[in-house]
Amino acid sequence: MGMTRRVSRLLAVVFLGIAAPAGAEAQVDELTTLCLLVGTGGGMQRCEEYALTATVVQAGAGLSHADGGAFQGSLSTRSLRFGAKPRVAFSARVAFTRYPVIRPDPVARNGMDWDYSISPSFHGQATVGLFDGFSIGPTVGGLLALDAIGKADLTLFPDSKGFVDRQSTGFGYGARVGLLRESATLPGVNFSATRTHGGDVDYIGGEIGIHLDNVLTTSLRAVVGKEFMIGGIQAGAGWDRYESDGEILFLGPIVTPPPPTPMVDFHTSRLLFFGGWSKTFRVMQVSGEFGWARGFHGVTPHVEEFDPATGSLFGSFSVRLAV
């Protein structure tokens, strides 16, 4: 009973740590101010719409590259197999992300129109076990175990939704720290931190264009999971921060559009939640995952056509080989 209480407290600390950052925030004031300084003739509401457009496009692109759990289907850290020789796992994942996009348009109702975009993505990943961690009981181990991760990503953007470039490649790296290795009586618990470097994103929405320079995604994840007869079940929570240099280009409808806004360091962040199932066949494992990322609250209060709190869905299927 005492061990169960300690494990429960550990899980509470992990998930409270993930939820500590603001649930969802966006840096839109600076983009709005730059838009007003350039002078579009549309006033505060139009500039807020432009900044909100950049917000949701950046978040959608960043989530497409980062995806959900960094170690999908893997309930515990990789243990060392023979002395200092590390264990390695390779995985391939097919994923999708469904997120909103906005088209500021003077002929649309209330000057805005919006829709959902779906981006498929492909992820290759290698995971290396670096440290076994410490044992604090007969079935309680893996404390502070450490894995390293490297990955490559390809995300596809639909041109029918306004994206200029059909694809964006990226790469990422990170680490996973074990808090509890799965055993016959206890679940596996781990925490991971990764950074994903995506490419440029160019988007045209109605009367404006958005250029985002090399979208960078920082991801924190906390996951708990357990293997059963039917397979492994896991659930997790996370926090993403998306950042890039952003620029708004004015395309009309006036005869002489104003110059583009200066490039500005622009970021957004939000919470996300996900769950998955996995099945292991000796050295191979298949797994699926589905999750939801929050929208943005408390931004662009004058925009009525689109609710910034609208969230995004994501899911994936993965095959992993352990050697």
Side-chain angles (χ1 to χ4, degrees):
M1 183 65 68
M3 179 59 66
T4 301
R5 283 198 298 268
R6 286 195 290 271
V7 172
S8 299
R9 293 192 192 103
L10 178 63
L11 293 178
V13 169
V14 172
F15 283 97
L16 286 175
I18 279 290
E25 63 90 14
Q27 179 196 30
V28 299
D29 292 342
E30 191 166 2
L31 274 177
T32 301
T33 300
L34 287 174
C35 169
L36 290 171
L37 289 175
V38 169
T40 65
M44 174 66 78
Q45 179 170 335
R46 299 305 282 168
C47 286
E48 287 178 340
E49 292 170 1
Y50 302 154
L52 181 57
T53 302
T55 298
V56 297
V57 169
Q58 183 188 61
L63 181 60
S64 297
H65 274 294
D67 203 19
F71 299 81
Q72 181 175 319
S74 177
L75 307 180
S76 298
T77 51
R78 306 292 301 162
S79 60
L80 302 186
R81 184 162 47 184
F82 298 115
K85 182 179 179 181
R87 297 193 67 177
V88 182
F90 301 95
S91 64
R93 177 164 47 181
V94 179
F96 79 92
T97 307
R98 182 179 183 264
Y99 53 95
V101 289
I102 305 172
R103 293 184 293 273
D105 192 339
V107 301
R109 183 166 60 91
N110 293 333
M112 291 187 69
D113 189 16
W114 70 280
D115 197 359
Y116 284 104
S117 177
I118 297 179
S119 286
S121 56
F122 307 89
H123 309 262
Q125 180 173 306
T127 306
V128 181
L130 300 180
F131 179 57
D132 276 344
F134 302 99
S135 295
I136 56 177
T139 61
V140 185
L143 180 64
L144 300 183
L146 182 64
D147 288 343
I149 176 178
K151 65 172 186 171
D153 309 288
L154 171 65
T155 297
L156 304 181
F157 298 110
D159 55 4
S160 61
K161 300 298 182 180
F163 290 94
V164 177
D165 299 318
R166 292 294 307 276
Q167 64 184 40
S168 174
T169 57
F171 68 94
Y173 48 86
R176 174 171 63 169
V177 177
L179 302 179
L180 192 65
R181 179 168 291 127
E182 183 195 8
S183 66
T185 57
L186 295 173
V189 184
N190 62 76
F191 176 83
S192 64
T194 61
R195 301 198 84 180
T196 304
H197 296 257
D200 295 352
V201 177
D202 291 292
Y203 174 78
I204 295 177
E207 61 191 36
I208 65 166
I210 301 293
H211 172 73
L212 301 175
D213 190 27
N214 296 320
V215 178
L216 173 65
T217 304
T218 302
S219 303
L220 303 179
R221 303 286 188 266
V223 180
V224 56
K226 186 76 173 68
E227 191 84 24
F228 300 98
M229 290 292 294
I230 61 171
I233 298 176
Q234 60 180 314
W239 177 82
D240 275 354
R241 175 186 169 96
Y242 320 109
E243 54 188 302
S244 62
D245 289 335
E247 181 183 31
I248 299 175
L249 305 148
F250 303 101
L251 308 177
I254 59 180
V255 176
T256 305
T261 64
M263 294 284 282
V264 59
D265 184 15
F266 177 61
H267 68 262
T268 57
S269 63
R270 60 178 168 182
L271 290 175
L272 52 88
F273 308 91
F274 54 90
W277 174 87
S278 62
K279 184 68 175 178
T280 302
F281 305 93
R282 294 188 179 180
V283 298
M284 187 182 75
Q285 182 187 71
V286 295
S287 59
E289 184 179 85
F290 190 76
W292 175 76
R294 296 183 63 178
F296 303 95
H297 299 266
V299 299
T300 55
H302 296 96
V303 177
E304 299 178 357
E305 183 69 11
F306 172 74
D307 183 2
T310 300
S312 301
L313 298 176
F314 58 91
S316 60
F317 175 79
S318 176
V319 176
R320 186 165 64 97
L321 178 66
V323 296

